[in-house]
Amino acid sequence: MQTKVLKPNANNIKLCADHIKNGGIVGFGTETVYGLGANAFDGVAISKIYSAKGRPSDNPLIVHIAKKEQISMLAHQTPLSKKIVAEFMPAPLTIILNKKDTVLPIVSGGLDTVAIRMPKSKLASDFISACGVPLVAPSGNLSGSPSPTSASHILNDLDGKIDYILDGGECEIGLESTVIDVRGEQIIVLRMGSITKDELQKIAPVVVKDSLEDNKAPISPGLKYKHYSPKAKVYAVTKTENMQSEIILLYDKLVKSGANPIIIGLCKYSNANCKTVSSMREYAKSLYALLRDADTSGYDTIIAELVTDEGIGGAINNRLTKASGGNII
Ligand code: TXA
Ligand code: MG
């Protein structure tokens, strides 16, 4: 099979929607990361996603909708979820609710819950509307790799494994959606993203349970898997006053030991291989591209600056901590 990357015009959206209706899977751009979509009610199509990605089958999928009314066919709303939906959706935000029987076990990973997201991106919304059904869509990377934030990333991972990619250009946000459990009276953040704790706190009290330690019996199975990792070894360096000098020391030590490192982050470094960005938003947007580019440019080690936990910083630190496999300095 040859994977075709298609411009997001009306003809191609229809072509891809017909492919979904016929049981196919399609890669498509959203405002967060590229997804790999299938009809949420077609178990055979969904199994193709798991094999294309090499994804563990107990890791449930997010169901993507184009209209708020589609929630009631999938899940039981709560007073809290109704407020969240009214305030935020469409958004880079995924809500967890108790599922209805319409949701297949292959979607929920055997849980009683379902994850629902209404993307803000026009392409994603138009595509889901054209399909006429909700779409399950995990990030379109090989399981364990950084999520794709451009059509070339998803092509790189899944070339020959899927028929079509709808090219939405570079993703606006670049990190996966914030995942929240809204079944109770508190908002439980299971995955940080660009919708921040501060924004959510305006609606209800918020607790963050996004690490495996917080989830001995994980509410969100995805937490237990290795994530977002490039081939290069990643060092995540905590933001302190001495961070830059610590990074230079580490860089020099690695070079002496024969490694070929690159530094990524917000600060500038002279006499060192580095790729730096000028804002937290830009760091979030280009983080996965920086990790992937390090691999393709032949670097074997990435020294990544961590940032302050404010705003999208929490999500950046969360992804870098995971990409480093806990290798934090
Ligand atoms: O931004 C996003 O959310 C992207 C785009 C494509 O929409 N999708 C995405 O999907 O990141 P995925 O499959 O890579 O990550 C979904 C996360 C996983 O950590 C999974 O365990 C969790 O959501 N999840 C899915 N269903 C769940 C459920 N019923 N309960 C708890 N966590 C769930
Ligand atoms: Mg993913």
Side-chain angles (χ1 to χ4, degrees):
M1 165 195 313
Q2 208 205 334
T3 304
K4 293 191 191 71
V5 178
L6 303 175
K7 288 198 184 83
N9 58 34
N11 283 344
N12 288 335
I13 289 176
K14 183 172 183 312
L15 174 80
C16 289
D18 288 343
H19 191 55
I20 292 280
K21 289 177 201 163
N22 293 325
I25 59 178
V26 173
F28 63 100
T30 83
E31 74 276 24
T32 57
V33 299
Y34 274 68
L36 179 58
N39 175 352
F41 302 122
D42 182 342
V44 177
I46 297 167
S47 65
K48 294 179 192 168
I49 290 183
Y50 282 93
S51 38
K53 278 179 62 83
R55 182 178 174 105
S57 61
D58 67 341
N59 195 3
L61 300 167
I62 298 172
V63 183
H64 294 67
I65 57 172
K67 286 191 219 106
K68 293 179 182 177
E69 296 74 58
Q70 287 174 311
I71 298 174
S72 61
M73 77 166 101
L74 302 163
H76 301 282
Q77 288 240 42
T78 60
L80 177 57
S81 73
K82 285 181 186 161
K83 279 192 213 162
I84 294 281
V85 169
E87 186 71 22
F88 290 99
M89 289 200 180
L93 181 69
T94 296
I95 56 171
I96 307 289
L97 285 169
N98 285 321
K99 76 178 192 76
K100 289 192 174 166
D101 289 342
T102 47
V103 177
L104 300 170
I106 193 173
V107 174
S108 59
L111 300 173
D112 297 330
T113 53
V114 62
I116 302 174
R117 169 159 126 77
M118 183 174 172
K120 197 165 190 173
S121 121
K122 182 166 169 6
L123 169 60
S125 181
D126 288 351
F127 177 47
I128 300 163
S129 294
C131 292
V133 284
L135 296 184
V136 290
S139 50
N141 50 287
L142 286 175
S143 204
S145 293
S147 295
T149 52
S150 70
S152 64
H153 292 164
I154 180 166
L155 183 66
N156 196 51
D157 279 19
L158 301 178
D159 195 9
K161 294 184 175 169
I162 59 176
D163 290 296
Y164 302 114
I165 297 169
L166 273 173
D167 186 351
E170 200 186 338
C171 297
E172 191 189 325
I173 292 166
L175 299 179
E176 306 80 355
S177 61
T178 307
V179 178
I180 56 174
D181 184 338
V182 288
R183 288 175 295 163
E185 278 161 25
Q186 279 186 324
I187 298 171
I188 305 173
V189 178
L190 300 173
R191 181 173 72 183
M192 302 225 225
S194 69
I195 300 287
T196 62
K197 194 178 163 187
D198 289 347
E199 287 171 86
L200 295 167
Q201 234 149 11
K202 290 177 191 148
I203 310 290
V206 177
V207 282
V208 180
K209 290 195 177 172
D210 69 341
S211 72
L212 200 50
E213 297 82 74
D214 291 326
N215 270 278
K216 288 287 184 288
I219 310 177
S220 191
L223 295 173
K224 70 174 182 275
Y225 296 108
K226 190 170 180 249
H227 264 322
Y228 319 118
S229 299
K231 292 192 185 70
K233 183 176 168 78
V234 179
Y235 291 84
V237 185
T238 310
K239 179 151 180 66
T240 59
E241 272 179 28
N242 303 327
M243 180 183 72
Q244 270 185 283
S245 46
E246 276 172 29
I247 285 181
I248 290 293
L249 281 175
L250 175 63
Y251 182 92
D252 289 342
K253 200 174 105 191
L254 287 165
V255 169
K256 274 197 191 116
S257 71
N260 183 20
I262 183 163
I263 305 168
I264 63 168
L266 290 157
C267 302
K268 299 259 180 297
Y269 298 85
S270 47
N271 305 323
N273 292 319
C274 66
K275 237 184 185 173
T276 55
V277 291
S278 54
S279 69
M280 297 260 265
R281 284 273 153 201
E282 206 192 321
Y283 201 14
K285 184 171 178 170
S286 50
L287 184 62
Y288 292 140
L290 290 169
L291 297 179
R292 282 173 178 265
D293 290 350
D295 280 345
T296 49
S297 311
Y299 295 102
D300 56 18
T301 313
I302 299 167
I303 305 173
E305 291 179 358
L306 293 174
V307 293
T308 60
D309 265 328
E310 282 150 41
I312 199 162
I316 294 172
N317 289 341
N318 165 278
R319 303 310 191 275
L320 277 173
T321 302
K322 289 192 174 162
S324 75
N327 191 18
I328 302 160
I329 291 173

